[in-house]
């Protein structure tokens, strides 16, 4: 075969590899926290927890329903609930330092509840950090 054909094929492989590396470099498990503001109602803040499962660039992102989320306060169990079909569960908690435990993925996250917050776990299904 002609050397130019081999060179062209090599370039195509390099370009496809580079695109794959770029696409999967941002594919990782993340926890995003959004301060919703506001003051407590009846001495309690609203904590909205969302769980999304990211199946990669070709699988999309989908909410995870019926996922168990536990809340710990001062290292002791405080409350738990399941996410709805949209991957959302809402807690009403007094101010303080809490630990969220996403049982299905064995992930813990600490949060100081001094306002209303939304915590979103975007779980990379094929690769976890």
């Amino acid at each position: 075969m002609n050397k130019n054909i081999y060179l062209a094929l090599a370039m195509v492989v390099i370009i496809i590899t580079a695109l794959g590396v770029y696409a999967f470099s941002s594919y990782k498990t993340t926890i995003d926290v959004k301060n919703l503001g506001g003051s407590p109602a009846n001495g309690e803040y609203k904590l909205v927890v969302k769980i999304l499962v990211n199946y990669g660039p070709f699988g999309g992102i989908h909410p995870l329903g019926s996922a168990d989320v536990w809340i710990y306060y001062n290292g002791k169990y405080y409350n738990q609930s399941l996410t709805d079909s949209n991957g959302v569960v809402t807690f009403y908690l007094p101010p303080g330092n809490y630990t969220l435990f996403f049982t299905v993925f064995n992930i813990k996250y600490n949060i100081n509840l001094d306002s209303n917050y939304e915590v979103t776990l975007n779980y990379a299904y094929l690769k976890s950090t």
Side-chain angles (χ1 to χ4, degrees), residues 36-52:
L36 301 175
S39 57
N42 298 324
E44 295 180 326
Y45 288 111
K46 180 166 64 169
L47 176 63
V48 179
V49 179
K50 292 183 181 180
I51 301 179
L52 305 173

Side-chain angles (χ1 to χ4, degrees), residues 20-100:
V21 168
Y22 175 75
F24 283 98
S25 66
S26 63
Y27 179 66
K28 59 185 171 184
T29 298
T30 59
I31 297 178
D32 300 310
V33 179
K34 180 179 176 183
N35 187 333
L36 301 175
S39 57
N42 298 324
E44 295 180 326
Y45 288 111
K46 180 166 64 169
L47 176 63
V48 179
V49 179
K50 292 183 181 180
I51 301 179
L52 305 173
V53 179
N54 184 344
Y55 292 101
F58 305 111
I61 298 173
H62 303 280
L64 182 63
S66 299
D68 206 5
V69 179
W70 292 15
I71 304 286
Y72 289 89
Y73 180 69
N74 289 334
K76 295 181 181 177
Y77 170 82
Y78 187 81
N79 198 355
Q80 79 181 70
S81 191
L82 297 174
T83 58
D84 62 16
S85 61
N86 295 315
V88 177
V89 61
T90 303
F91 296 97
Y92 294 92
L93 305 166
N97 292 314
Y98 294 91
T99 299
L100 299 174

